[in-house]
């Protein structure tokens, strides 16, 4: 490697860091391997030319018999470079359906994220070869543009920004830097095992590609940039469609407006709607299921499609999106002192002392009532109505979604249903405008 190329690493990283003047700390993810060593060495060589404080982090996964030796190696290197090192051990003994590699990555980033303060930078040593591996893995999973754009050089993470300053350098260029600087690094023996998909691509597939097409790394990286442009266009279309089908409430989607879209735009707006609500995007088969089993269901049905962390339900002419509803026991009951806020599994009940528009205080001999949940067959007589109504009919009449009905608190006094959350009052217990009353306020939890 020429002196000019070595200098390019320092210049590149210094220029990237200069774009973040508010950042006070750079956290360096340092495994001790070749790639992170180069990142550490470059940062050490420019630390007097940047404003950010450098802190290195080593995560001990405990998967190798040499893990403790790696910790010692990293400590020695950081001491040589006058960079403070923090080490952490993570427990991977718990079973996970994600696989060891993915679970380790999740736990690693959890530790790193917890270290960061506002505007902090987390620097990782991902490079061009890693980018190609990522894109090929996404391709093998059948990903669309969101997956095929690969890893961005910068993205929001925790309270700050995750940066990949080596993304424009190949593994060969990084290896040349190490040789030119006579640096020593750790070789993780697991990198040789092709049982991991990424290692299989790294050790078997990509070398073959480069033999046939020497410029394959940059070609794939260029293709990823084309995918990024396509994704931008797709996102513009989805934002426009969302404004039509959601209006001002992104928690529900108008089916009539949705059905005016083409088949491709329907799938696109569903994915955008799910992302808008900060839920994990389901696979293509779930998206298809939402269209065929939920949207196209008969009007008298209330279908639901669930996936990890989320669900979509239909009621009348709308789709509703939410986190997976937690378990709820409709058999439970709770005493409620009206002078205190009551926290329930589905939300919060509060009673405010006032005049009218609430439970008539004169009808209660104490300030304690009982909270129950719908069992079926409950009835109420509302003020201004001559008949007694089934609660089921009232829910239908007022368009209360079915999945919320069993979670809505029913207020009982002396075994008599006197109120349904803050929706309705039994006429006998309803205060007039001049009468002292407990005014009921019901607030759903965010996950309901």
């Amino acid at each position: 490697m020429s002196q000019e190329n070595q200098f390019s690493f320092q210049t590149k990283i210094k220029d990237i860091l200069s774009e973040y003047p508010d950042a006070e700390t750079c956290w360096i993810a340092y495994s001790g391997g070749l790639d992170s060593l180069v990142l550490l060495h470059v940062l050490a060589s420019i630390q007097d030319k940047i404003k950010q404080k450098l802190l290195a982090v080593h995560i001990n996964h405990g998967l190798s018999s040499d893990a403790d030796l790696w910790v010692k190696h990293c400590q020695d290197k950081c001491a040589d470079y006058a960079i403070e090192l923090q080490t952490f051990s993570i427990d991977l003994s718990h079973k996970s359906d994600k696989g060891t590699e993915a679970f380790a990555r999740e736990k690693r980033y959890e530790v790193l994220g917890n270290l960061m303060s506002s505007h902090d930078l987390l620097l990782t040593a991902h490079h061009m070869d890693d980018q190609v591996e990522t894109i090929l893995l996404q391709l093998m999973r059948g990903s669309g543009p969101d997956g095929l754009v690969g890893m961005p050089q910068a993205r929001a993470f925790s309270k700050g920004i995750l940066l990949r300053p080596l993304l424009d350098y190949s593994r060969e260029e990084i290896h040349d830097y190490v040789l030119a600087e006579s640096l020593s690094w750790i070789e993780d023996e697991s990198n040789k095992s092709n049982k991991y998909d990424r290692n299989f691509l790294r050790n078997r597939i990509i070398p073959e590609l480069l033999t046939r097409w020497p410029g394959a790394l940059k070609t794939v990286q260029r293709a990823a940039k084309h995918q990024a442009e396509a994704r931008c266009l797709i996102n513009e279309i989805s934002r426009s469609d969302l404004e039509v089908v959601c209006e001002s409430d992104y928690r529900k989607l108008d089916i009539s407006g949705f059905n005016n879209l083409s088949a491709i735009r329907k799938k696109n707006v569903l994915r955008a709607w799910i992302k808008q609500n900060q839920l994990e995007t389901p696979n293509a088969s779930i998206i298809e299921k939402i269209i065929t089993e939920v949207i196209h269901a008969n009007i008298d049905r209330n279908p639901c499609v669930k996936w990890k962390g989320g669900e979509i339900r239909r009621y009348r002419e709308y789709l509703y999106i939410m986190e997976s509803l937690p378990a709820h026991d409709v058999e439970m009951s709770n005493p409620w002192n009206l002078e205190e806020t009551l926290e329930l599994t589905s939300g919060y009940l509060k009673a405010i002392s006032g005049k009218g528009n609430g439970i008539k205080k004169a009808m209660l001999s104490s300030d304690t009532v009982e909270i129950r949940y719908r069992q079926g067959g409950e009835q109420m007589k509302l003020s201004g109505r001559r008949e007694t109504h089934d609660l089921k009919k009232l829910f239908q009449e007022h368009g209360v979604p079915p999945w919320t009905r069993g979670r809505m608190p029913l207020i009982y006094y002396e075994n008599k249903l006197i109120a349904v959350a803050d929706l309705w009052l039994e006429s006998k217990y309803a205060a007039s405008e001049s009468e002292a009353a407990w005014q009921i306020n019901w607030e759903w939890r965010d996950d309901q």
Side-chain angles (χ1 to χ4, degrees):
M1 169 183 276
S2 69
Q3 189 68 33
E4 180 183 347
N5 284 339
Q6 291 180 49
F7 181 71
S8 77
F9 278 85
Q10 283 86 351
T11 302
K12 176 78 170 179
I13 293 180
K14 186 157 61 72
D15 288 347
I16 290 173
L17 294 181
S18 69
E19 297 175 12
Y20 300 92
D22 294 332
E24 295 183 359
T25 304
C26 285
W27 296 92
I28 309 162
Y30 179 43
S31 68
L34 184 147
D35 306 330
S36 63
L37 171 63
V38 168
L39 179 60
L40 185 77
H41 187 270
V42 173
L43 287 165
S45 70
I46 62 170
Q47 59 182 321
D48 60 340
K49 299 180 179 66
I50 59 176
K51 68 179 292 292
Q52 293 90 355
K53 178 182 178 181
L54 299 180
L55 292 171
V57 186
H58 177 79
I59 309 293
N60 182 353
H61 300 88
L63 295 175
S64 171
S65 58
D66 294 328
D68 291 338
L69 294 176
W70 296 354
V71 172
K72 180 64 167 59
H73 173 89
C74 292
Q75 289 171 337
D76 290 344
K77 283 292 182 185
C78 287
D80 290 343
Y81 300 151
I83 294 177
E84 180 184 333
L85 174 70
Q86 296 186 23
T87 62
F88 298 87
S89 296
I90 57 178
D91 181 10
L92 300 179
S93 61
H94 301 291
K95 297 295 182 184
S96 172
D97 57 3
K98 299 176 181 179
T100 303
E101 215 177 4
F103 187 50
R105 180 184 182 279
E106 179 184 289
K107 301 300 287 185
R108 183 166 65 248
Y109 276 96
E110 182 180 309
V111 171
L112 294 168
N114 289 337
L115 292 171
M116 298 176 70
S117 299
S118 181
H119 303 299
D120 278 4
L121 303 177
L122 170 62
L123 274 60
T124 65
H126 294 104
H127 48 69
M128 193 184 300
D129 295 61
D130 294 321
Q131 180 76 293
V132 172
E133 292 164 10
T134 297
I135 293 168
L136 291 178
L137 284 170
Q138 294 291 346
L139 189 62
M140 292 301 100
R141 293 167 185 155
S143 297
D146 278 351
L148 298 180
V149 298
M151 301 178 288
Q153 186 176 78
R155 71 171 176 87
F157 176 73
S158 184
K159 298 177 182 178
I161 300 290
L162 188 155
L163 286 178
R164 301 181 176 98
L166 301 182
L167 211 52
D168 289 333
Y169 295 96
S170 68
R171 180 177 285 114
E172 182 180 6
E173 290 173 304
I174 289 171
H175 187 260
D176 287 346
Y177 181 99
V178 167
L179 295 180
E181 296 291 333
S182 300
L183 305 177
S184 60
W185 68 93
I186 293 168
E187 283 288 0
D188 183 347
E189 66 273 11
S190 69
N191 287 338
K192 298 176 182 178
S193 173
N194 288 337
K195 73 176 182 178
Y196 300 116
D197 292 341
R198 186 174 286 275
N199 286 354
F200 177 72
L201 288 172
R202 181 181 302 160
N203 300 330
R204 295 277 301 276
I205 302 302
I206 293 178
E208 286 293 321
L209 289 175
L210 291 174
T211 299
R212 180 83 178 201
W213 295 286
L217 295 181
K218 291 187 177 179
T219 300
V220 173
Q221 193 174 46
R222 187 167 64 249
K225 291 179 180 178
H226 294 329
Q227 291 296 316
E229 291 176 357
R231 183 178 64 173
C232 287
L233 180 58
I234 289 169
N235 289 344
E236 284 184 17
I237 295 171
S238 65
R239 282 194 294 269
S240 175
D241 289 342
L242 271 179
E243 290 179 5
V244 173
V245 299
C246 291
E247 297 176 351
S248 60
D249 186 356
Y250 284 107
R251 292 170 298 178
K252 66 180 186 179
L253 184 149
D254 177 30
I255 293 175
S256 62
F258 179 86
N259 283 332
N260 290 330
L261 300 175
S262 66
I264 293 175
R265 286 174 73 163
K266 285 178 181 176
K267 294 177 181 178
N268 187 43
V269 80
L270 278 177
R271 291 190 183 94
W273 185 44
I274 292 167
K275 287 181 184 177
Q276 177 70 34
N277 283 277
Q278 299 180 338
L279 297 177
E280 183 177 318
T281 305
N283 60 34
S285 63
I286 294 294
I287 295 293
E288 192 65 40
K289 202 173 182 181
I290 293 169
I291 294 173
T292 57
E293 297 185 14
V294 180
I295 293 173
H296 291 161
N298 291 333
I299 192 69
D300 59 342
R301 295 183 60 213
N302 302 306
C304 171
V305 167
K306 300 181 180 182
W307 69 96
K308 183 180 178 181
E311 53 190 61
I312 288 177
R313 298 172 180 267
R314 174 176 173 167
Y315 180 54
R316 297 181 176 173
E317 289 302 317
Y318 287 92
L319 293 186
Y320 293 81
I321 190 168
M322 63 203 77
E323 295 179 13
S324 297
L325 289 176
H328 177 74
D329 181 8
V330 297
E331 299 292 337
M332 63 182 170
S333 63
N334 303 85
W336 180 27
N337 182 341
L338 293 166
E339 294 181 344
E340 300 175 358
T341 298
L342 180 64
E343 181 178 351
L344 300 169
T345 59
S346 51
Y348 305 90
L349 267 174
K350 185 177 182 180
I352 301 170
S353 182
K355 295 283 188 181
N357 194 30
I359 300 171
K360 188 188 303 183
K361 287 188 176 183
M363 295 296 295
L364 307 179
S365 59
S366 78
D367 291 334
T368 299
V369 295
E370 184 182 10
I371 303 303
R372 301 180 190 173
Y373 296 93
R374 187 179 174 215
Q375 305 292 312
E378 295 88 355
Q379 293 184 323
M380 294 188 79
K381 182 180 180 183
L382 307 184
S383 296
R385 295 196 182 187
R386 306 174 73 178
E387 311 87 7
T388 297
H389 298 276
D390 289 338
L391 201 53
K392 177 180 179 180
K393 294 295 184 184
L394 289 175
F395 281 136
Q396 292 174 339
E397 179 183 330
H398 288 80
V400 177
W403 57 91
T404 67
R405 299 172 188 175
R407 298 168 179 269
M408 191 168 288
L410 309 184
I411 302 173
Y412 280 77
Y413 180 70
E414 295 182 343
N415 285 320
K416 170 70 175 177
L417 177 61
I418 63 172
V420 177
D422 52 6
L423 293 180
W424 308 299
L425 295 166
E426 174 68 30
S427 60
K428 182 180 176 182
Y429 289 80
S432 66
E433 291 184 3
S434 61
E435 291 178 310
W438 288 110
Q439 299 165 346
I440 306 300
N441 178 264
W442 168 243
E443 182 179 346
W444 290 101
R445 287 181 182 272
D446 291 339
D447 58 356
Q448 302 290 314

